Amino acid sequence: HANVFAREQLDIGARFFLQYLPSVQSGQRVIDLGCGNGVIGLALLAAEPQAQILFCDESYMAVQSSRENVSRLFPAASHCEFLVDDSMSQQPDLSADYILCNPPFHQQQAVTDHIAWQMFADARRVLKIGGRLRIVCNRHLGYGEKLTRLFGGCIHVASNAKFSVFEAIRRK
């Protein structure tokens, strides 16, 4: 659908992120935050069809794209959820095992990290103790330091010339 970043293409940040997705267990609750067309959650479903995945985005069109892609590629995945939400404002505290995100760093013409900050703060609230937030970002954005400040630590998973993948763990 329109209004989904990269529309019919796989954006290069997501392409890099797909190489570094975590292994999830059957029944774990995973949130594909800012899901767009759902490519991250779809990759997890391919690896673990029983993962409980919530596809979440502020865009109705993005959530509908994710719903249609899951329905087409995994018709038996009736356990998936789809939600239009401002970040994760509707999600209960301590309710997710993993949150995966390719956060935007611009809103229309403005380059800003306020959306990413909201996503990171909501992730800290929504993750269970021991739950993990894994993100991909442009290297120049300094999200590793921001996650360290918010979570008290951050793991550098991978990087290339353009992108980094970080993981933060909710400790308390």
Side-chain angles (χ1 to χ4, degrees), residues 12 41 53 69 82 88 98 102-103 105 133:
I12 58 176
I53 300 178
N69 285 332
F82 304 87
M88 291 181 287
Y98 272 101
N102 180 359
F105 64 93
L133 168 66

PDB file of all heavy atoms in Angstrom, residues 12 41 53 69 82 88 98 102-103 105 133:
ATOM      1  N   ILE A  12      16.913  -0.801   2.379  1.00  0.00           N
ATOM      2  CA  ILE A  12      18.248  -1.359   2.617  1.00  0.00           C
ATOM      3  C   ILE A  12      18.541  -1.561   4.105  1.00  0.00           C
ATOM      4  O   ILE A  12      19.294  -2.452   4.464  1.00  0.00           O
ATOM      5  CB  ILE A  12      19.356  -0.537   1.921  1.00  0.00           C
ATOM      6  CG1 ILE A  12      19.341   0.921   2.375  1.00  0.00           C
ATOM      7  CG2 ILE A  12      19.210  -0.638   0.420  1.00  0.00           C
ATOM      8  CD1 ILE A  12      20.479   1.760   1.796  1.00  0.00           C
ATOM      9  N   GLY A  41       8.459  -9.084  10.785  1.00  0.00           N
ATOM     10  CA  GLY A  41       7.606 -10.105  11.385  1.00  0.00           C
ATOM     11  C   GLY A  41       7.427 -11.319  10.494  1.00  0.00           C
ATOM     12  O   GLY A  41       7.369 -12.454  10.970  1.00  0.00           O
ATOM     13  N   ILE A  53       3.157 -12.762  17.124  1.00  0.00           N
ATOM     14  CA  ILE A  53       3.677 -11.512  16.596  1.00  0.00           C
ATOM     15  C   ILE A  53       2.579 -10.468  16.490  1.00  0.00           C
ATOM     16  O   ILE A  53       1.501 -10.735  15.943  1.00  0.00           O
ATOM     17  CB  ILE A  53       4.352 -11.719  15.226  1.00  0.00           C
ATOM     18  CG1 ILE A  53       5.504 -12.712  15.381  1.00  0.00           C
ATOM     19  CG2 ILE A  53       4.855 -10.380  14.664  1.00  0.00           C
ATOM     20  CD1 ILE A  53       6.224 -13.057  14.124  1.00  0.00           C
ATOM     21  N   ASN A  69      -0.053  -9.328   3.781  1.00  0.00           N
ATOM     22  CA  ASN A  69       1.139 -10.146   3.534  1.00  0.00           C
ATOM     23  C   ASN A  69       1.146 -11.399   4.398  1.00  0.00           C
ATOM     24  O   ASN A  69       1.477 -12.488   3.925  1.00  0.00           O
ATOM     25  CB  ASN A  69       2.407  -9.324   3.758  1.00  0.00           C
ATOM     26  CG  ASN A  69       2.657  -8.360   2.623  1.00  0.00           C
ATOM     27  OD1 ASN A  69       2.261  -8.598   1.493  1.00  0.00           O
ATOM     28  ND2 ASN A  69       3.311  -7.250   2.925  1.00  0.00           N
ATOM     29  N   PHE A  82      -2.676  -7.379  14.696  1.00  0.00           N
ATOM     30  CA  PHE A  82      -2.398  -6.206  13.880  1.00  0.00           C
ATOM     31  C   PHE A  82      -3.028  -5.008  14.570  1.00  0.00           C
ATOM     32  O   PHE A  82      -4.213  -5.042  14.901  1.00  0.00           O
ATOM     33  CB  PHE A  82      -2.980  -6.392  12.476  1.00  0.00           C
ATOM     34  CG  PHE A  82      -2.472  -7.640  11.810  1.00  0.00           C
ATOM     35  CD1 PHE A  82      -3.111  -8.863  11.995  1.00  0.00           C
ATOM     36  CD2 PHE A  82      -1.324  -7.602  11.039  1.00  0.00           C
ATOM     37  CE1 PHE A  82      -2.635 -10.019  11.409  1.00  0.00           C
ATOM     38  CE2 PHE A  82      -0.830  -8.758  10.444  1.00  0.00           C
ATOM     39  CZ  PHE A  82      -1.484  -9.965  10.634  1.00  0.00           C
ATOM     40  N   MET A  88       3.644   2.391  21.012  1.00  0.00           N
ATOM     41  CA  MET A  88       2.986   1.270  21.691  1.00  0.00           C
ATOM     42  C   MET A  88       2.144   1.767  22.857  1.00  0.00           C
ATOM     43  O   MET A  88       2.086   1.141  23.918  1.00  0.00           O
ATOM     44  CB  MET A  88       4.039   0.264  22.172  1.00  0.00           C
ATOM     45  CG  MET A  88       4.709  -0.473  21.047  1.00  0.00           C
ATOM     46  SD  MET A  88       5.931  -1.671  21.597  1.00  0.00           S
ATOM     47  CE  MET A  88       7.255  -0.574  22.132  1.00  0.00           C
ATOM     48  N   TYR A  98      10.205  -9.752  22.906  1.00  0.00           N
ATOM     49  CA  TYR A  98      11.081  -9.072  21.948  1.00  0.00           C
ATOM     50  C   TYR A  98      10.319  -7.935  21.290  1.00  0.00           C
ATOM     51  O   TYR A  98       9.123  -8.068  21.003  1.00  0.00           O
ATOM     52  CB  TYR A  98      11.534 -10.019  20.823  1.00  0.00           C
ATOM     53  CG  TYR A  98      12.763 -10.811  21.106  1.00  0.00           C
ATOM     54  CD1 TYR A  98      12.677 -12.141  21.490  1.00  0.00           C
ATOM     55  CD2 TYR A  98      14.026 -10.242  20.969  1.00  0.00           C
ATOM     56  CE1 TYR A  98      13.808 -12.890  21.745  1.00  0.00           C
ATOM     57  CE2 TYR A  98      15.163 -10.982  21.222  1.00  0.00           C
ATOM     58  CZ  TYR A  98      15.051 -12.297  21.606  1.00  0.00           C
ATOM     59  OH  TYR A  98      16.184 -13.029  21.848  1.00  0.00           O
ATOM     60  N   ASN A 102      12.898  -0.852  13.105  1.00  0.00           N
ATOM     61  CA  ASN A 102      13.720  -0.075  12.190  1.00  0.00           C
ATOM     62  C   ASN A 102      13.154   1.346  12.285  1.00  0.00           C
ATOM     63  O   ASN A 102      12.330   1.742  11.474  1.00  0.00           O
ATOM     64  CB  ASN A 102      13.597  -0.647  10.777  1.00  0.00           C
ATOM     65  CG  ASN A 102      14.422   0.095   9.749  1.00  0.00           C
ATOM     66  OD1 ASN A 102      15.093   1.065  10.055  1.00  0.00           O
ATOM     67  ND2 ASN A 102      14.333  -0.353   8.513  1.00  0.00           N
ATOM     68  N   PRO A 103      13.543   2.100  13.327  1.00  0.00           N
ATOM     69  CA  PRO A 103      12.859   3.367  13.608  1.00  0.00           C
ATOM     70  C   PRO A 103      13.131   4.436  12.551  1.00  0.00           C
ATOM     71  O   PRO A 103      14.237   4.530  12.024  1.00  0.00           O
ATOM     72  CB  PRO A 103      13.437   3.789  14.956  1.00  0.00           C
ATOM     73  CG  PRO A 103      14.758   3.123  15.039  1.00  0.00           C
ATOM     74  CD  PRO A 103      14.625   1.833  14.282  1.00  0.00           C
ATOM     75  N   PHE A 105      13.939   8.141  11.174  1.00  0.00           N
ATOM     76  CA  PHE A 105      14.697   9.274  11.697  1.00  0.00           C
ATOM     77  C   PHE A 105      14.316  10.560  10.981  1.00  0.00           C
ATOM     78  O   PHE A 105      15.010  11.566  11.070  1.00  0.00           O
ATOM     79  CB  PHE A 105      16.211   9.032  11.639  1.00  0.00           C
ATOM     80  CG  PHE A 105      16.775   8.883  10.261  1.00  0.00           C
ATOM     81  CD1 PHE A 105      17.291   9.974   9.576  1.00  0.00           C
ATOM     82  CD2 PHE A 105      16.808   7.646   9.643  1.00  0.00           C
ATOM     83  CE1 PHE A 105      17.820   9.833   8.301  1.00  0.00           C
ATOM     84  CE2 PHE A 105      17.333   7.494   8.375  1.00  0.00           C
ATOM     85  CZ  PHE A 105      17.836   8.590   7.701  1.00  0.00           C
ATOM     86  N   LEU A 133      14.992  -5.409  23.126  1.00  0.00           N
ATOM     87  CA  LEU A 133      14.713  -4.532  22.000  1.00  0.00           C
ATOM     88  C   LEU A 133      15.883  -4.640  21.040  1.00  0.00           C
ATOM     89  O   LEU A 133      17.032  -4.436  21.433  1.00  0.00           O
ATOM     90  CB  LEU A 133      14.589  -3.076  22.472  1.00  0.00           C
ATOM     91  CG  LEU A 133      14.590  -1.999  21.376  1.00  0.00           C
ATOM     92  CD1 LEU A 133      13.342  -2.114  20.497  1.00  0.00           C
ATOM     93  CD2 LEU A 133      14.702  -0.611  22.003  1.00  0.00           C
TER      94      LEU A 133
END
